[in-house]
C-alpha cells in the first residue's frame, strides 16, 4: 500500500470531534465490522482508509473499549493489498478450533470478510468471502492461504455475518450475506468455516429502493420471555431509506436452521413506494447505516453499532483530518408496542459514569408560541430526557445546539403523529445539497405524551422516542459557540411536562 498517495480532502477546522462516539484519529471510516466481545474487551473493527479521509484502500481498522463509551485505536488489523480490498464482514470466536487455525491450547478468532478483487488479480471482477485468523485476541491477523473460501462468481456478493447456530437442526456455522443488486440475503452453512453449503435465500421483500448490504440474523426473546424466541433479520439498504439515502430495515420471523421466514413482510418482490412507512426501520434518521450486532456480547445482550453517515454525502462532511463517527452502541430488544412487535433500542453503556453533576431540570411549564431558551441548560455533549404533552400547538419540541432562533429542531406534530428532525438551520449544511433536510417518522402517543431521550454530541443528535420504539439519528455541524437548548411551539402552546439535561464528558 505504500505506493498509494494519501488523499486527505480539505475541510474547515472545527471542534466537531465527538466526545462519546468513536472516530478514527486522522482517517476515513465506514461500516462497523467484526464486532465481538472477547476476553472482557469490545472489539470494533471497521471499514477504513488507512491513507486518507475519503473512501478508498479499504482495510479493517481496529478499536477497543471496555465500557462502549471510550475507545482506543489500534493499528490496522487487516490491510488491503495489490489483489484485494477488504470489505465488510464479521468475526467469530472458534472456541472448538473447527477451522484448524488454532494452535495447542489457543483457539482462534476468525474473521470472515469480503475480498473485493482488484483488476489484474486472479479473481478480478468478483466479490467473494475470505478468512483471516488471530491467535492473540484480535490484535494481529493472518490471511488464510486458501482464500477465497466462497466464490459464486458474482460481482455483488458481500458482507458475510457468521454466527453459531445451535438448534433443532443441529450445530454449525451459519453465514448471512447479500447478493446486493438482487435484493437478496443468501444463507450458507459450514462445519469448519472453510467449506460452505447453500441453505436458502430471502428476498426481495419490503424496501428495495437500493442495494441490500450488511445483513445480520439473530434470535431475541419476545417481551423478555426466554421461552418465546423470534428471529430478526436486518438488512441495510442504500439508497432507498425512509428519509432518503442509506438506512436499515428489518424483518421479524423464524429461522429453522435452513430458512428465514418473515412474519413482517408487507410487500414481496419490488417495493411499493407508497408503503415505505409500513416497513420496519432500524432508524428513521439520515445517519445510521451498516448497523450490525456484536458476537458473544455478555449476558446474551444484543448490542448494535451503526455507521453515523449517509452515502449521499459521506465523503463531503466537513470534518478533518478524520471523517465519519460511529453511532453509540445500542442494546436492542423485541417488544409488543401498540399491539405490534418491533425492535426497541436503548443506548448501551454506563451513563452514570460520564454524567456531570447537577442536571438541569424543570417540570410543568407552558411552552408559548415561538422559541424560549432554557437558561442553565446549554452544552455541547448532553443527554436530554424530555416529556411533552400536546396543547393547541400544531408542532412543538426542542431546538438543540442553538444560538437564538437557529439550531436543530427535534419536534412532534401531534395531529400527524410525526416525530421530526429539521436540520436546515443546524449549522454548516453547504457541503452537500441534500444535507439540509426535514426528516420525519411516525410516532404514536403514549398515554397522550411524547417522551424523547436525546444524546447530543459535537456533530450529532440521536433521538430515542417513546422509550426507544422509534429512533432518529442525524449528523449536525453547529458552530462551537451554538450551545443553547430551547423549547419551541408553532401555532399555539404545549406543555413541557418534564425535562432533565445531563452534561456528559
Ligand atoms: C456498505 C458497503 C458494504 C461494503 C463496504 C465497502 O456501506 O458498501 O456493502 O462491504 O461498504 O466499504
Amino acid at each position: 500500500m505504500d505506493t498509494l498517495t494519501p488523499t486527505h480532502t480539505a475541510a474547515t477546522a472545527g471542534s466537531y470531534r465527538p466526545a462519546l462516539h468513536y472516530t478514527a484519529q486522522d482517517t476515513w471510516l465506514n461500516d462497523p465490522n467484526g464486532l465481538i466481545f472477547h476476553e472482557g474487551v469490545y472489539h470494533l473493527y471497521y471499514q477504513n482508509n488507512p491513507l486518507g479521509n475519503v473512501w478508498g484502500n479499504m482495510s479493517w481498522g481496529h478499536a477497543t473499549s471496555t465500557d462502549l463509551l471510550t475507545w482506543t485505536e489500534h493499528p490496522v488489523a487487516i490491510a488491503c493489498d495489490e489483489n484485494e480490498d477488504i470489505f465488510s464482514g464479521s468475526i467469530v470466536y472458534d472456541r472448538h478450533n473447527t477451522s484448524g487455525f488454532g494452535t495447542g491450547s489457543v483457539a482462534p478468532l476468525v474473521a470472515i470478510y469480503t475480498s473485493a478483487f482488484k483488476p489484474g488479480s486472479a479473481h478480478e471482477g468478483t466479490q467473494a468471502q475470505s478468512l483471516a485468523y488471530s491467535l492473540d485476541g484480535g490484535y494481529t491477523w493472518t490471511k488464510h492461504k486458501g482464500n477465497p473460501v466462497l466464490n459464486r462468481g458474482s460481482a455483488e456478493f458481500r458482507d458475510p455475518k457468521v454466527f453459531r447456530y445451535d438448534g433443532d437442526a443441529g450445530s454449525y456455522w451459519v453465514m448471512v450475506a447479500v447478493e446486493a443488486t438482487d435484493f437478496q440475503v443468501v444463507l450458507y452453512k459450514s462445519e469448519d468455516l472453510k467449506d460452505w453449503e447453500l441453505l436458502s435465500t430471502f428476498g426481495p421483500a419490503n424496501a428495495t429502493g437500493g442495494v441490500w448490504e450488511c445483513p445480520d440474523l439473530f434470535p431475541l426473546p419476545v417481551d423478555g420471555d426466554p421461552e418465546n424466541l423470534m428471529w430478526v433479520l436486518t438488512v441495510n439498504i442504500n439508497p432507498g431509506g425512509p428519509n432518503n439515502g442509506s438506512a436499515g430495515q428489518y424483518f421479524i420471523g423464524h429461522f429453522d436452521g435452513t430458512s428465514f421466514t418473515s412474519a413482517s413482510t408487507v410487500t414481496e418482490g419490488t417495493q411499493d413506494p407508497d408503503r415505505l412507512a409500513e416497513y420496519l426501520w432500524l432508524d428513521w434518521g439520515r445517519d445510521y447505516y451498516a448497523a450490525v450486532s456484536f458476537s458473544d456480547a455478555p449476558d446474551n445482550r444484543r448490542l448494535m453499532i451503526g455507521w453515523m453517515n449517509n452515502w449521499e454525502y459521506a465523503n463531503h462532511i466537513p470534518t478533518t483530518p478524520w471523517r465519519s463517527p460511529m453511532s453509540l452502541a445500542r442494546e436492542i430488544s423485541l417488544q409488543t408496542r401498540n399491539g405490534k412487535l418491533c425492535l426497541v433500542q436503548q443506548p448501551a453503556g454506563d451513563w452514570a459514569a460520564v454524567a456531570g453533576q447537577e442536571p438541569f431540570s424543570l417540570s410543568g411549564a407552558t411552552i408559548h408560541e415561538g422559541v424560549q431558551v432554557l437558561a442553565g441548560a446549554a452544552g455541547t455533549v448532553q443527554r436530554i430526557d424530555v416529556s411533552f404533552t400536546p396543547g393547541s400547538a400544531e408542532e412543538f419540541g426542542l431546538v438543540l445546539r442553538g444560538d437564538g432562533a437557529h439550531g436543530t429542531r427535534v419536534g412532534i406534530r401531534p395531529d400527524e403523529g410525526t416525530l421530526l428532525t429539521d436540520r436546515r438551520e443546524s449549522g454548516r449544511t453547504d457541503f452537500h445539497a441534500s444535507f439540509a433536510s426535514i426528516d420525519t417518522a411516525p410516532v404514536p402517543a403514549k398515554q397522550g405524551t411524547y417522551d424523547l431521550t436525546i444524546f447530543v454530541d459535537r456533530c450529532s443528535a440521536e433521538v430515542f422516542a417513546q422509550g426507544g420504539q422509534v429512533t432518529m439519528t442525524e449528523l449536525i455541524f453547529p458552530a462551537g459557540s451554538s450551545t443553547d437548548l430551547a423549547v419551541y411551539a408553532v401555532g399555539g402552546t404545549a406543555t413541557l411536562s418534564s425535562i432533565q439535561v445531563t452534561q456528559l464528558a
Side-chain angles (χ1 to χ4, degrees):
M1 292 201 311
D2 48 8
T3 55
L4 297 168
T5 317
T7 48
H8 276 270
T9 63
T12 26
S15 46
Y16 297 138
R17 173 91 70 184
L20 295 170
H21 293 77
Y22 180 69
T23 55
Q25 191 52 37
D26 55 5
T27 56
W28 161 272
L29 65 76
N30 56 289
D31 315 356
N33 296 151
L35 302 181
I36 189 165
F37 180 76
H38 188 64
E39 291 171 350
V41 175
Y42 292 94
H43 290 265
L44 161 64
Y45 302 83
Y46 49 87
Q47 289 288 280
N48 179 226
N49 178 356
L51 299 177
N53 66 359
V54 290
W55 188 87
N57 310 310
M58 292 328 292
S59 302
W60 279 24
H62 183 202
T64 53
S65 175
T66 51
D67 62 5
L68 294 169
L69 295 175
T70 50
W71 295 92
T72 304
E73 185 168 338
H74 300 283
V76 168
I78 309 177
C80 65
D81 60 25
E82 60 285 6
N83 292 312
E84 59 174 3
D85 275 324
I86 314 298
F87 275 15
S88 289
S90 51
I91 290 176
V92 293
Y93 176 45
D94 182 13
R95 48 173 65 74
H96 301 301
N97 195 21
T98 62
S99 62
F101 292 135
T103 49
S105 60
V106 183
L109 288 172
V110 181
I112 306 93
Y113 67 86
T114 298
S115 295
F117 286 109
K118 293 183 174 174
S121 68
H123 305 282
E124 169 171 354
T126 64
Q127 293 183 347
Q129 312 324 322
S130 291
L131 307 177
Y133 59 92
S134 172
L135 300 175
D136 66 357
Y139 295 92
T140 61
W141 292 84
T142 305
K143 289 181 182 173
H144 170 47
K145 289 200 175 59
N147 284 340
V149 294
L150 178 56
N151 189 350
R152 293 158 55 106
S154 163
E156 301 282 354
F157 174 39
R158 59 180 177 269
D159 306 341
K161 175 75 199 264
V162 175
F163 64 92
R164 186 78 194 172
Y165 171 80
D166 280 300
D168 293 344
S171 177
Y172 42 85
W173 301 107
V174 171
M175 175 196 295
V176 285
V178 290
E179 278 295 346
T181 49
D182 294 342
F183 317 113
Q184 211 161 53
V185 174
V186 291
L187 291 87
Y188 281 82
K189 77 182 264 197
S190 176
E191 300 294 337
D192 61 2
L193 297 165
K194 292 173 177 163
D195 283 324
W196 292 93
E197 173 195 331
L198 182 67
L199 287 173
S200 61
T201 64
F202 175 82
N206 288 2
T208 61
V211 293
W212 282 23
E213 298 185 318
C214 301
D216 200 350
L217 178 63
F218 47 81
L220 281 176
V222 174
D223 296 318
D225 176 2
E227 302 299 317
N228 183 13
L229 294 183
M230 287 194 76
W231 287 74
V232 177
L233 175 69
T234 61
V235 182
N236 289 274
I237 74 162
N238 177 57
N243 283 295
N244 295 318
S246 318
Q249 66 172 329
Y250 65 93
F251 300 86
I252 303 170
H254 299 281
F255 177 61
D256 62 5
T258 302
S259 306
F260 174 77
T261 318
S262 167
S264 65
T265 296
V266 175
T267 50
E268 304 263 7
T270 307
Q271 71 174 26
D272 179 343
D274 296 330
R275 302 186 71 177
L276 283 194
E278 294 171 51
Y279 304 157
L280 298 173
W281 296 99
L282 275 177
D283 193 286
W284 288 76
R286 306 278 306 279
D287 299 299
Y288 188 73
Y289 192 57
V292 281
S293 70
F294 277 86
S295 302
D296 300 344
D299 307 322
N300 272 329
R301 296 167 82 195
R302 190 54 60 173
L303 302 170
M304 292 186 100
I305 292 182
W307 174 48
M308 205 154 53
N309 210 334
N310 187 316
W311 282 118
E312 274 192 357
Y313 43 70
N315 280 294
H316 306 285
I317 63 169
T319 62
T320 186
W322 56 280
R323 198 176 257 120
S324 298
M326 291 298 178
S327 76
L328 296 174
R330 299 176 180 184
E331 176 158 12
I332 61 171
S333 58
L334 202 48
Q335 296 182 22
T336 310
R337 293 286 182 97
N338 311 97
K340 238 180 105 183
L341 268 186
C342 65
L343 285 184
V344 172
Q345 307 180 48
Q346 296 292 338
D350 181 4
W351 293 100
V354 290
Q357 283 164 0
E358 309 217 7
F360 168 91
S361 53
L362 188 68
S363 55
T366 299
I367 308 171
H368 298 284
E369 179 150 15
V371 176
Q372 296 128 60
V373 172
L374 299 173
T380 57
V381 186
Q382 332 182 290
R383 170 187 178 137
I384 303 166
D385 292 286
V386 63
S387 179
F388 296 104
T389 307
S392 57
E394 70 204 41
E395 180 183 323
F396 54 81
L398 298 175
V399 187
L400 310 174
R401 294 299 309 271
D403 82 48
H406 305 291
T408 302
R409 290 189 173 204
V410 176
I412 300 289
R413 289 187 193 137
D415 294 343
E416 285 176 17
T418 297
L419 166 73
L420 68 99
T421 303
D422 180 349
R423 57 182 186 186
R424 289 173 303 168
E425 299 194 14
S426 57
R428 281 211 54 187
T429 60
D430 57 342
F431 53 88
H432 194 277
S434 83
F435 186 81
S437 52
I438 305 179
D439 304 315
T440 59
V443 64
K446 220 168 108 190
Q447 275 116 38
T449 69
Y450 294 88
D451 297 340
L452 309 179
T453 296
I454 307 174
F455 287 80
V456 180
D457 204 337
R458 298 198 180 100
C459 68
S460 60
E462 280 157 284
V463 181
F464 297 80
Q466 306 298 48
Q469 184 179 347
V470 177
T471 66
M472 202 178 236
T473 300
E474 302 263 329
L475 287 173
I476 51 172
F477 300 100
S481 56
S482 299
T483 60
D484 283 347
L485 179 64
V487 288
Y488 78 98
V490 178
T493 62
T495 302
L496 180 60
S497 308
S498 67
I499 186 167
Q500 175 157 317
V501 182
T502 311
Q503 308 294 340
L504 305 171

